[in-house]
Amino acid sequence: MWKMTGNGGNQTRVSPIDTYGRQPFIASNNLIYYQYYSGQQPEIFSMNKDGTNQSQVTFNGQYGNRSTPKFFQGNLYYVDNGTLRVVRGVNQDLELISPCITYDISTTGEIVYGKFDAGLGYDKQKGTLWIMNADGTNNHQLTFNNF
């Protein structure tokens, strides 16, 4: 991973050469959160902006696909096999919503997410957008399919 100024200048590597990090997110706590393959499965890691103090944040074992880390008001969110979760401790992460294919968190704590289940079958909610509070409350649908 690299960091640079807004105009693309001053490029500086922040991850070791042997580290293949993906989906970096710079959080308000001055850490970079990113997806990294630890063994055969991806986990979420963090490091300082200068690349020091790399640390594994999620510990979900050999199954799963942890991705898209986001940080809001002291909480780390991520998607794991189509489920939006928030880190609560080692193997104690809280499930907020499933299915969730992608999401983002606003500065006011609203989470917008895409609902998609890859399973077979007819479902009018596939591909729709939903919104909820960062704690999972007030969950409601924003877009609708008309098929």
Side-chain angles (χ1 to χ4, degrees):
M1 283 180 280
W2 296 74
K3 69 178 181 178
M4 64 188 84
T5 58
N7 65 3
N10 198 22
Q11 297 177 7
T12 306
R13 180 184 287 275
V14 294
S15 63
I17 293 172
D18 64 343
T19 300
Y20 178 65
R22 298 175 54 199
Q23 304 171 340
F25 179 81
I26 299 175
S28 60
N29 64 353
N30 290 316
L31 293 176
I32 298 173
Y33 292 94
Y34 59 99
Q35 180 192 55
Y36 175 72
Y37 279 78
S38 173
Q40 295 184 0
Q41 299 298 325
E43 297 285 355
I44 305 298
F45 282 71
S46 68
M47 67 178 161
N48 294 334
K49 287 183 185 179
D50 64 1
T52 60
N53 293 328
Q54 294 185 21
S55 177
Q56 187 171 346
V57 179
T58 60
F59 299 86
N60 294 318
Q62 62 182 349
Y63 302 105
N65 184 14
R66 281 137 310 274
S67 64
T68 54
K70 308 273 184 185
F71 188 84
F72 178 74
Q73 290 189 345
N75 292 305
L76 180 65
Y77 297 81
Y78 67 96
V79 174
D80 181 20
N81 285 335
T83 299
L84 180 60
R85 298 182 184 275
V86 61
V87 173
R88 291 289 186 239
V90 176
N91 294 322
Q92 298 177 3
D93 298 350
L94 174 67
E95 178 180 321
L96 287 182
I97 197 72
S98 185
C100 171
I101 193 68
T102 188
Y103 74 102
D104 207 349
I105 304 174
S106 74
T107 57
T108 58
E110 296 170 302
I111 296 175
V112 175
Y113 67 96
K115 189 170 188 177
F116 185 82
D117 183 353
L120 298 176
Y122 175 77
D123 183 351
K124 281 191 156 197
Q125 292 183 346
K126 281 188 178 183
T128 56
L129 294 177
W130 292 66
I131 191 167
M132 67 181 172
N133 296 332
D135 63 1
T137 60
N138 198 26
N139 186 28
H140 58 280
Q141 193 170 351
L142 293 174
T143 63
F144 299 85
N145 292 325
N146 294 317
F147 54 83

